[in-house]
Amino acid sequence: MSENRRSQEVTKGHQRSPNRAMLRATGFQDEDFNKPIVGLANGYSTITPCNMGINTLAIRGEAALRKAGAMPQMFGTITISDGISMGTEGMKYSLVSRDVIADSIETACNGQSMDAVMAIGGCDKNMPGAIIAIARMNIPSIFVYGGTIKPGHLDGEDLTVVSSFEAVGQFSAGKIDEQQLTAIEKNACPGAGSCGGMFTANTMSSAIEAMGLSLPYSSTMAAEDEEKAESTEQSAVVLVDAVRKQILPKDILTRKAFENAISVIMAVGGSTNAVLHLLAIANTIGVKLTIDDFETIRQRVPVICDLKPSGRYVATDLHKAGGIPLVMKMLLKQGLLHGDAITVSGQTVAEVLADISETPSADQDVIRAWDNPMYKQGHLAILKGNLATEGAVAKISGVKNPQITGPARVFESEEDCLAAILDGKIKAGDIIIVRYEGPKGGPGMREMLAPTSAIIGAGLGDSVGLITDGRFSGGTYGLVVGHVAPEAAVGGTIGLVNEGDSITIDAHKKLLQINVSESELAQRKSQWQPPQPRYTRGVLAKYAKLVSSSSLGAVTDLNC
């Protein structure tokens, strides 16, 4: 590369540029001005265990980039911990942080005219935020996952952070005592890394690997293992080669790549949040992807991995069993993966998977044989009906019968809902409605992990439904329906539901319905008034004004 992008833009053809003086202060020598400048977006923080090991990876990546012939320039990105903010007002900032992260990476890389970027993230919003930025900039890019946490252990059982949330429900239901509750809390999270089940972080790392923007096996490595640092170094080498070959995100993030990601998410039993994030990334890169595409792929892809939250195993077990490459090879063998999609290495998916076995080993049961799946179809069902005309996402793994009709129990916030569950006011057959928690109404579309975990802990997972215009944690399972659109705050039907109304959830018929006459709904609609904004200044106020429907990915630059 004859000059870095900054020099090309500033000098407009001149041989020398005064901005070199600033670069010399950062350590540039004469020969370095002909090397590609590679941004290193470092998601390190001590706020959350998901990100506290990332700085070590960033330093290893920085050295590897320099050795490979690039000039790395490290900068930080923010994060918040969903697990720590869950159930609080702070959770409203979670989805907002995805866009703040994307904006910060775009701003740093484009503001400094960087030639490429290596993004390192380790929690739910670092990952889609980084990929949205990569899609916006379209410069050679690679993503490095900070790695998954190892499972906690107690009394011979593996624990995850969700175990702690479910224990609260068990304690409130009188099923465990305070000593057991405290023991679970102390043992659930043993060290660095993202939540250990196939929750949102591991779902998105798997999706990014499936799309070809990270290296094979990297999505399920443990944060604290040496192979994660070695994979980071190899990622640096691959990225510098991608700069030389000018392999760009638009070459990788094609319609085929998104279909591959959705197939993998269904096969591993991934998080509902993947629907939201993949829609947002596709919108940014210019790929036509709709919420209905998830349903189409769901119907032909079985769940073949036995993973938490509804299954038995964690991501490190999946890694030992063959990881995402084995899952992808099984899908490829069945004609459910696009083998000709391009990856960041320049190889096709089929070439990357050439030496991978087509069948899982018989000495493990994390990845099931194709003819013995956990579920014959995917677990993320797209429901529509008069309660969600734009669609909603139901997670039906771990549910004996994904259909229920019952009386609505209406709550205007997550906190009120949780209090009712813990007080024993929710009974079998009830259908909980939690509204005004959507992208605009929350704002920020909080996750309902505390209520759903309390339902599971109380033993009501198969007999109580929960519907919300908010989101769910990747740790949630049960008869739950989220992302209801249009949301209550913009006049969606979920805002018209009255206590006691008959509600139907039917994943077989892909139906989400309030069993009230259209004339009655029209009458209620005529009397409905939009709520006053909950925030009038700051990032939440800006977000509420800009954010789109969840059915479009809850993006903030749709109409810019």
Side-chain angles (χ1 to χ4, degrees):
M1 181 167 289
S2 60
E3 276 281 4
N4 64 67
R5 183 159 65 118
R6 171 207 288 279
S7 294
Q8 289 177 356
E9 292 182 358
V10 172
T11 62
K12 299 186 185 301
H14 293 291
Q15 293 293 317
R16 309 290 291 181
S17 171
N19 72 345
R20 291 187 178 206
M22 297 288 286
L23 290 173
R24 288 186 187 280
T26 69
F28 274 65
Q29 304 298 315
D30 289 346
E31 63 274 14
D32 296 328
F33 289 101
N34 290 322
K35 299 175 182 177
I37 294 180
V38 176
L40 204 163
N42 182 358
Y44 166 72
S45 78
T46 58
I47 294 173
T48 164
C50 315
N51 294 69
M52 69 184 192
I54 285 178
N55 200 48
T56 300
L57 300 181
I59 292 169
R60 293 278 288 266
E62 181 183 40
L65 285 167
R66 187 170 284 109
K67 185 177 180 180
M71 284 301 291
Q73 300 288 281
M74 192 184 301
F75 61 92
T77 67
I78 64 138
T79 192
I80 66 168
S81 169
D82 289 4
I84 295 171
S85 63
M86 196 73 68
T88 74
E89 196 79 355
M91 188 63 196
K92 293 182 177 181
Y93 288 86
S94 171
L95 186 58
V96 175
S97 75
R98 181 191 74 178
D99 290 60
V100 174
I101 292 163
D103 292 349
S104 69
I105 294 174
E106 177 193 359
T107 300
C109 289
N110 281 351
Q112 301 302 122
S113 301
M114 295 177 186
D115 299 295
V117 65
M118 172 190 283
I120 308 180
C123 65
D124 294 12
K125 308 308 175 301
N126 287 155
M127 285 179 271
I131 306 304
I132 288 171
I134 285 167
R136 289 178 188 172
M137 298 183 297
N138 197 38
I139 58 177
S141 306
I142 198 166
F143 182 79
V144 175
Y145 180 36
T148 185
I149 196 171
K150 294 180 179 180
H153 300 285
L154 183 66
D155 298 330
E157 293 188 9
D158 287 347
L159 300 179
T160 70
V161 66
V162 175
S163 306
S164 185
F165 281 88
E166 291 180 0
V168 173
Q170 293 170 328
F171 175 73
S172 298
K175 295 184 176 183
I176 61 173
D177 59 25
E178 188 169 358
Q179 184 178 1
Q180 289 171 295
L181 175 64
T182 301
I184 292 170
E185 174 194 315
K186 288 183 176 180
N187 289 279
C189 298
S194 298
C195 298
M198 190 47 68
F199 309 150
T200 301
N202 286 323
T203 298
M204 290 310 300
S205 68
S206 299
I208 294 165
E209 180 177 328
M211 288 193 290
L213 270 175
S214 61
L215 297 189
Y217 297 103
S218 65
S219 65
T220 52
M221 292 175 178
E224 297 179 326
D225 285 353
E226 174 62 18
E227 67 174 347
K228 171 49 65 178
E230 292 171 354
S231 177
T232 303
E233 293 175 336
Q234 182 59 30
S235 296
V237 174
V238 170
L239 176 58
V240 174
D241 190 52
V243 174
R244 296 189 180 103
K245 295 176 180 177
Q246 280 300 286
I247 300 172
L248 302 176
K250 281 194 175 182
D251 302 323
I252 301 166
L253 295 176
T254 62
R255 168 78 187 198
K256 290 180 178 180
F258 283 96
E259 291 186 357
N260 285 351
I262 296 170
S263 293
V264 167
I265 289 164
M266 295 296 176
V268 300
S271 166
T272 53
N273 283 310
V275 178
L276 195 74
H277 297 325
L278 289 179
L279 287 171
I281 296 164
N283 176 275
T284 302
I285 201 72
V287 168
K288 291 183 179 180
L289 188 74
T290 72
I291 196 170
D292 296 318
D293 292 318
F294 289 82
E295 179 62 29
T296 299
I297 294 174
R298 178 187 85 86
Q299 293 184 29
R300 62 182 185 235
V301 178
V303 179
I304 58 173
C305 296
D306 187 2
L307 297 169
K308 290 179 182 292
S310 59
R312 293 178 293 166
Y313 296 106
V314 296
T316 51
D317 297 316
L318 174 61
H319 189 64
K320 293 173 186 175
I324 296 303
L326 175 53
V327 174
M328 292 178 69
K329 188 62 173 280
M330 293 173 68
L331 291 167
L332 183 65
K333 180 182 178 182
Q334 299 297 324
L336 296 172
L337 211 67
H338 298 287
D340 57 344
I342 298 298
T343 70
V344 66
S345 68
Q347 295 176 292
T348 65
V349 166
E351 289 170 338
V352 170
L353 301 176
D355 296 328
I356 305 298
S357 172
E358 294 181 343
T359 56
S361 172
D363 62 1
Q364 59 80 48
D365 56 358
V366 183
I367 304 174
R368 305 276 284 266
W370 190 263
D371 59 1
N372 184 34
M374 295 291 293
Y375 307 98
K376 293 181 180 180
Q377 291 183 322
H379 63 301
L380 300 180
I382 305 303
L383 309 187
K384 291 189 176 181
N386 63 1
L387 198 52
T389 55
E390 292 179 15
V393 183
K395 188 174 187 179
I396 56 176
S397 52
V399 179
K400 294 176 182 177
N401 184 19
Q403 53 188 166
I404 184 174
T405 294
R409 302 297 309 280
V410 181
F411 301 95
E412 310 298 336
S413 72
E414 177 187 4
E415 289 88 347
D416 291 345
C417 170
L418 179 61
I421 297 168
L422 296 180
D423 288 344
K425 295 178 180 179
I426 301 300
K427 307 299 180 184
D430 286 346
I431 298 183
I432 297 168
I433 304 288
V434 186
R435 62 192 182 190
Y436 294 101
E437 290 284 7
K440 286 184 178 293
M445 211 177 174
R446 284 195 291 182
E447 293 179 348
M448 304 291 133
L449 179 59
T452 58
S453 296
I455 290 170
I456 296 294
L460 297 170
D462 285 313
S463 58
V464 168
L466 191 151
I467 300 170
T468 181
D469 50 9
R471 296 182 295 130
F472 294 116
S473 163
T476 289
Y477 66 102
L479 196 54
V480 296
V481 184
H483 306 200
V484 170
E487 62 176 290
V490 299
T493 306
I494 190 173
L496 308 179
V497 179
N498 289 340
E499 183 82 7
D501 283 343
S502 174
I503 304 291
T504 294
I505 303 171
D506 192 333
H508 295 312
K509 295 181 179 179
K510 296 174 285 185
L511 180 66
L512 188 65
Q513 179 172 286
I514 177 172
N515 301 309
V516 172
S517 69
E518 290 303 311
S519 60
E520 171 64 18
L521 289 177
Q523 174 65 22
R524 295 182 190 181
K525 179 78 174 195
S526 69
Q527 298 174 351
W528 179 83
Q529 295 292 324
Q532 291 296 312
R534 288 174 168 167
Y535 299 85
T536 57
R537 300 295 297 271
V539 67
L540 292 181
K542 289 190 289 184
Y543 185 85
K545 286 186 176 181
L546 293 171
V547 70
S548 72
S549 169
S550 60
S551 65
L552 300 173
V555 295
T556 53
D557 59 353
L558 187 64
N559 298 312
C560 294

